[in-house]
Amino acid sequence: MMIRIFVSVVLFAFSSVALKAQNWQPVGDKIITKWAEEVTPSNVWQEYPRPQMERDEWQNLNGLWEYAITSNRAEEPEEWKESILVPFALETPLSGVGLRINPDEVIWYRRTFEFDPQKDETHLLNFEGVDYKCMVWVNGQLAGSHIGGNLPFSFDVTKLMKEGENEVKLRVIDGTDDPDLYQLRGKQKRDGRGIWYSPSSGIWSTVWMESVPKTYVQSVKILADMHGELKAEAIVGGLKQPSGLRVSVLEDGKEVMKSNSSSHEVILSVKNVKLWSPSSPHLYDILVELIGENGEVLDSVTSYAGFRSVGKECDENGNWQFTLNGEKIFHLGPLDQGWWPGGFLLPPSDEAIVWEMEYLKKAGFNMIRKHKKVEPRRYYYHADRLGFLIWQDQTSGGSGGSEWPKWKKLQALAKGYTPRNNKWWDGNDDVLNADWPDWAHEQYMSELKTMIDVLYNHPSVVVWTTFNERWGQHRSMEVGTWTKKYDPSRLLNIASGGNFFEVGDIADEHNYPHPLFPLEVPLYDDYIKVVGEYGGHGWPVKGHIWDTSKDNWGYGGLPKTKGEYIQRYVKSSNILGDLKKKGISAGVYTQTTDVEGEINGLITYDRKVMKITPEELYKIHKAAGLVD
């Protein structure tokens, strides 16, 4: 009798979920990609979300959840709505909701799931991204809270779980660009237009449960260099400290090297190592094991590593150049916003990420500047295996008021004045930093540190960019000095196109529509000189525009024909090729795709039309001397 009742309950729950799934559909009349058209509640983001530290035992919680929108004074929703498709943000078409919250409102989420907790295991509830502040309850008890909308976090919910049905509930606040919040929100703005985009609130990336041993690898830090040396460090969580750490390096399933340590750190050397580079992105598998006092394996995770060294050197003409594995390398890539019409911050699928990267690869790009956004961790996994150099921006904050300082572009010293306000520059650096309160700066630094920690193991990430232009730029020397000390294995771009300070490795100029750099200014001679943004040539493609009721734009005015559009790209490439001969070490073209009101992408926002094919782009880059 008990069994029959249990089965009938399960069948009822299943039929209820199935009914909701049948009723779910994307909302709105905006364009979406072909991958978004294939998304369903049963197939949405099923891949393991953390390839750099993988375990077998996990449970995906993506799918249909209940939701509610209430006043920020409400302690509990009075009524729950039927469904929102997690992990897509509330405002997105693929969420099935497509609503925006007001400044005085919050979002609630709720779902139940079956779970069988084991006494000898710890259970972790993981969120890959929730924008921006949240509180989480499991079975009516508070599991924890989190601030920061751009990065993953987790809670130990072992003591809160029960056998059978479990409930998880969230309360989420997202102020976006409301005044005085100093919220790190990148390109999001309530009034999205021009270079600003629609808000993306609430859960926006995978939610999942993970079961680990009582003593477990909480995180692992891996650095593998061009000489074959690998350093691995494990942070251990749980009840007791293991007696040691064992790390094995494997290639094609065969063990290449294994090393033990009585501490939580291992250093080993791989002979005749195959190096990682964009032209040969070779990866080794890594097995990390915690060893108990009797030699038993307490926990194990699989990872991978690309052996490579990031550096710089001065060429025969006195110009500093990027190096990879001791060889000079020119960085050519697009500015990449990472926005999608169906899911905004979240791509519709793994396949969509790969398709876009393969387009860029065929075009001859070896670098991507990830602009004001941290991607889901699977993005960097694909960059690692396909071979891209990633310039990773810190997500910017501030609402464009007093949080932004005045802007002195790099040409200011060459021309003798600041172009934006046409005033002579008096050398006073005080106005080049905004005055952020301590609490806002501390949150900025907390998110910066977490970003570096989360992405540290990825060989593709080679440059940290702490500020873009002057957006939220503050305490620049302090931020730059800390970043260089915290991760000396990578290069630092203190402010891409922003207010230059003598810290880090790079002097970065933005210029539209064509690339430019003030080579005559001696101040930049000790730095790698790059054009961190240029181009932005716009071409609207009928039937593939996000919002036909608004003005769509690109830099330098719109060309009259597609031929003129392509010729503008050719001209920019040729100018960059000439700058390369004069010592410029990188160029970043704006941008990979159209995004909402910006129609300056190489591909339309829905990824259905290539304005220039990758084969054409490669020929242009080759002729300009930008690729070998």
Side-chain angles (χ1 to χ4, degrees), residues 45 50 61 83 175 302 346 352 367 461 485 514 558 561 597:
W45 276 106
R50 190 187 58 207
L61 297 183
S83 60
T302 57
L346 182 66
M367 174 264 281
V461 179
K485 183 178 180 180
H514 299 299
L558 297 183
T561 65

PDB file of all heavy atoms in Angstrom, residues 45 50 61 83 175 302 346 352 367 461 485 514 558 561 597:
ATOM      1  N   TRP A  45      20.531  23.402 -20.886  1.00  0.00           N
ATOM      2  CA  TRP A  45      21.837  23.388 -20.216  1.00  0.00           C
ATOM      3  C   TRP A  45      22.023  22.171 -19.319  1.00  0.00           C
ATOM      4  O   TRP A  45      21.979  22.248 -18.093  1.00  0.00           O
ATOM      5  CB  TRP A  45      22.049  24.688 -19.436  1.00  0.00           C
ATOM      6  CG  TRP A  45      22.563  25.776 -20.320  1.00  0.00           C
ATOM      7  CD1 TRP A  45      21.859  26.851 -20.788  1.00  0.00           C
ATOM      8  CD2 TRP A  45      23.870  25.867 -20.896  1.00  0.00           C
ATOM      9  NE1 TRP A  45      22.652  27.613 -21.616  1.00  0.00           N
ATOM     10  CE2 TRP A  45      23.896  27.027 -21.704  1.00  0.00           C
ATOM     11  CE3 TRP A  45      25.015  25.077 -20.809  1.00  0.00           C
ATOM     12  CZ2 TRP A  45      25.040  27.421 -22.423  1.00  0.00           C
ATOM     13  CZ3 TRP A  45      26.146  25.465 -21.522  1.00  0.00           C
ATOM     14  CH2 TRP A  45      26.152  26.620 -22.311  1.00  0.00           C
ATOM     15  N   ARG A  50      31.312  22.881 -14.506  1.00  0.00           N
ATOM     16  CA  ARG A  50      32.634  23.273 -14.011  1.00  0.00           C
ATOM     17  C   ARG A  50      33.699  22.310 -14.534  1.00  0.00           C
ATOM     18  O   ARG A  50      34.215  21.472 -13.792  1.00  0.00           O
ATOM     19  CB  ARG A  50      32.614  23.285 -12.475  1.00  0.00           C
ATOM     20  CG  ARG A  50      33.826  23.899 -11.805  1.00  0.00           C
ATOM     21  CD  ARG A  50      33.759  23.703 -10.292  1.00  0.00           C
ATOM     22  NE  ARG A  50      33.664  22.293  -9.955  1.00  0.00           N
ATOM     23  CZ  ARG A  50      33.106  21.811  -8.845  1.00  0.00           C
ATOM     24  NH1 ARG A  50      32.567  22.620  -7.967  1.00  0.00           N
ATOM     25  NH2 ARG A  50      33.074  20.504  -8.614  1.00  0.00           N
ATOM     26  N   LEU A  61      19.677  21.132 -11.583  1.00  0.00           N
ATOM     27  CA  LEU A  61      18.406  21.683 -11.127  1.00  0.00           C
ATOM     28  C   LEU A  61      17.818  22.695 -12.119  1.00  0.00           C
ATOM     29  O   LEU A  61      16.884  23.420 -11.795  1.00  0.00           O
ATOM     30  CB  LEU A  61      18.560  22.335  -9.754  1.00  0.00           C
ATOM     31  CG  LEU A  61      18.966  21.389  -8.614  1.00  0.00           C
ATOM     32  CD1 LEU A  61      19.014  22.147  -7.289  1.00  0.00           C
ATOM     33  CD2 LEU A  61      18.026  20.202  -8.511  1.00  0.00           C
ATOM     34  N   SER A  83       5.468  29.121 -13.821  1.00  0.00           N
ATOM     35  CA  SER A  83       6.793  28.638 -14.193  1.00  0.00           C
ATOM     36  C   SER A  83       7.658  29.716 -14.823  1.00  0.00           C
ATOM     37  O   SER A  83       7.181  30.596 -15.531  1.00  0.00           O
ATOM     38  CB  SER A  83       6.669  27.454 -15.166  1.00  0.00           C
ATOM     39  OG  SER A  83       5.996  27.853 -16.340  1.00  0.00           O
ATOM     40  N   GLY A 175      19.346  45.889  -8.346  1.00  0.00           N
ATOM     41  CA  GLY A 175      19.162  47.322  -8.553  1.00  0.00           C
ATOM     42  C   GLY A 175      19.703  47.831  -9.872  1.00  0.00           C
ATOM     43  O   GLY A 175      19.466  48.988 -10.238  1.00  0.00           O
ATOM     44  N   THR A 302      38.759  15.436 -11.401  1.00  0.00           N
ATOM     45  CA  THR A 302      39.501  15.503 -12.657  1.00  0.00           C
ATOM     46  C   THR A 302      39.544  16.944 -13.139  1.00  0.00           C
ATOM     47  O   THR A 302      38.606  17.708 -12.950  1.00  0.00           O
ATOM     48  CB  THR A 302      38.870  14.616 -13.731  1.00  0.00           C
ATOM     49  OG1 THR A 302      37.506  15.014 -13.927  1.00  0.00           O
ATOM     50  CG2 THR A 302      38.915  13.162 -13.318  1.00  0.00           C
ATOM     51  N   LEU A 346      23.289  34.735 -20.815  1.00  0.00           N
ATOM     52  CA  LEU A 346      23.517  33.303 -20.969  1.00  0.00           C
ATOM     53  C   LEU A 346      23.323  32.866 -22.415  1.00  0.00           C
ATOM     54  O   LEU A 346      22.251  33.077 -22.989  1.00  0.00           O
ATOM     55  CB  LEU A 346      22.562  32.513 -20.071  1.00  0.00           C
ATOM     56  CG  LEU A 346      22.726  30.994 -20.093  1.00  0.00           C
ATOM     57  CD1 LEU A 346      24.067  30.581 -19.509  1.00  0.00           C
ATOM     58  CD2 LEU A 346      21.584  30.315 -19.347  1.00  0.00           C
ATOM     59  N   ALA A 352      26.063  26.752 -29.286  1.00  0.00           N
ATOM     60  CA  ALA A 352      26.088  28.138 -29.754  1.00  0.00           C
ATOM     61  C   ALA A 352      27.450  28.785 -29.481  1.00  0.00           C
ATOM     62  O   ALA A 352      27.982  29.522 -30.325  1.00  0.00           O
ATOM     63  CB  ALA A 352      24.976  28.936 -29.071  1.00  0.00           C
ATOM     64  N   MET A 367      42.532  35.834 -30.462  1.00  0.00           N
ATOM     65  CA  MET A 367      42.246  36.427 -29.158  1.00  0.00           C
ATOM     66  C   MET A 367      40.790  36.869 -29.115  1.00  0.00           C
ATOM     67  O   MET A 367      40.185  37.165 -30.153  1.00  0.00           O
ATOM     68  CB  MET A 367      43.178  37.619 -28.917  1.00  0.00           C
ATOM     69  CG  MET A 367      42.902  38.420 -27.658  1.00  0.00           C
ATOM     70  SD  MET A 367      41.866  39.866 -27.985  1.00  0.00           S
ATOM     71  CE  MET A 367      43.061  41.000 -28.676  1.00  0.00           C
ATOM     72  N   VAL A 461      43.150  32.347 -20.520  1.00  0.00           N
ATOM     73  CA  VAL A 461      43.103  33.688 -19.926  1.00  0.00           C
ATOM     74  C   VAL A 461      44.529  34.200 -19.744  1.00  0.00           C
ATOM     75  O   VAL A 461      45.306  33.640 -18.967  1.00  0.00           O
ATOM     76  CB  VAL A 461      42.354  33.674 -18.585  1.00  0.00           C
ATOM     77  CG1 VAL A 461      42.335  35.078 -17.976  1.00  0.00           C
ATOM     78  CG2 VAL A 461      40.929  33.155 -18.771  1.00  0.00           C
ATOM     79  N   LYS A 485      50.312  41.664  -7.992  1.00  0.00           N
ATOM     80  CA  LYS A 485      50.878  40.844  -6.921  1.00  0.00           C
ATOM     81  C   LYS A 485      50.092  39.551  -6.752  1.00  0.00           C
ATOM     82  O   LYS A 485      50.676  38.481  -6.533  1.00  0.00           O
ATOM     83  CB  LYS A 485      50.890  41.631  -5.608  1.00  0.00           C
ATOM     84  CG  LYS A 485      51.524  40.875  -4.446  1.00  0.00           C
ATOM     85  CD  LYS A 485      51.541  41.720  -3.188  1.00  0.00           C
ATOM     86  CE  LYS A 485      52.178  40.956  -2.022  1.00  0.00           C
ATOM     87  NZ  LYS A 485      52.191  41.779  -0.780  1.00  0.00           N
ATOM     88  N   HIS A 514      38.679  54.155 -37.012  1.00  0.00           N
ATOM     89  CA  HIS A 514      39.902  53.453 -37.395  1.00  0.00           C
ATOM     90  C   HIS A 514      40.919  53.457 -36.255  1.00  0.00           C
ATOM     91  O   HIS A 514      40.936  54.375 -35.427  1.00  0.00           O
ATOM     92  CB  HIS A 514      40.495  54.085 -38.649  1.00  0.00           C
ATOM     93  CG  HIS A 514      39.581  54.031 -39.835  1.00  0.00           C
ATOM     94  ND1 HIS A 514      39.130  52.847 -40.378  1.00  0.00           N
ATOM     95  CD2 HIS A 514      39.026  55.026 -40.579  1.00  0.00           C
ATOM     96  CE1 HIS A 514      38.331  53.109 -41.407  1.00  0.00           C
ATOM     97  NE2 HIS A 514      38.242  54.421 -41.551  1.00  0.00           N
ATOM     98  N   LEU A 558      26.663  55.286 -40.821  1.00  0.00           N
ATOM     99  CA  LEU A 558      26.408  54.030 -41.516  1.00  0.00           C
ATOM    100  C   LEU A 558      26.782  54.138 -42.991  1.00  0.00           C
ATOM    101  O   LEU A 558      26.498  55.136 -43.653  1.00  0.00           O
ATOM    102  CB  LEU A 558      24.935  53.654 -41.388  1.00  0.00           C
ATOM    103  CG  LEU A 558      24.436  53.387 -39.966  1.00  0.00           C
ATOM    104  CD1 LEU A 558      22.974  52.947 -40.006  1.00  0.00           C
ATOM    105  CD2 LEU A 558      25.287  52.339 -39.266  1.00  0.00           C
ATOM    106  N   THR A 561      26.306  51.138 -48.688  1.00  0.00           N
ATOM    107  CA  THR A 561      26.210  49.808 -49.292  1.00  0.00           C
ATOM    108  C   THR A 561      27.021  48.814 -48.471  1.00  0.00           C
ATOM    109  O   THR A 561      27.907  49.196 -47.696  1.00  0.00           O
ATOM    110  CB  THR A 561      26.756  49.810 -50.730  1.00  0.00           C
ATOM    111  OG1 THR A 561      28.168  50.096 -50.697  1.00  0.00           O
ATOM    112  CG2 THR A 561      26.043  50.849 -51.592  1.00  0.00           C
ATOM    113  N   GLY A 597      20.697  47.474 -29.810  1.00  0.00           N
ATOM    114  CA  GLY A 597      20.724  48.624 -30.708  1.00  0.00           C
ATOM    115  C   GLY A 597      22.025  48.825 -31.454  1.00  0.00           C
ATOM    116  O   GLY A 597      22.100  49.653 -32.359  1.00  0.00           O
TER     117      GLY A 597
END
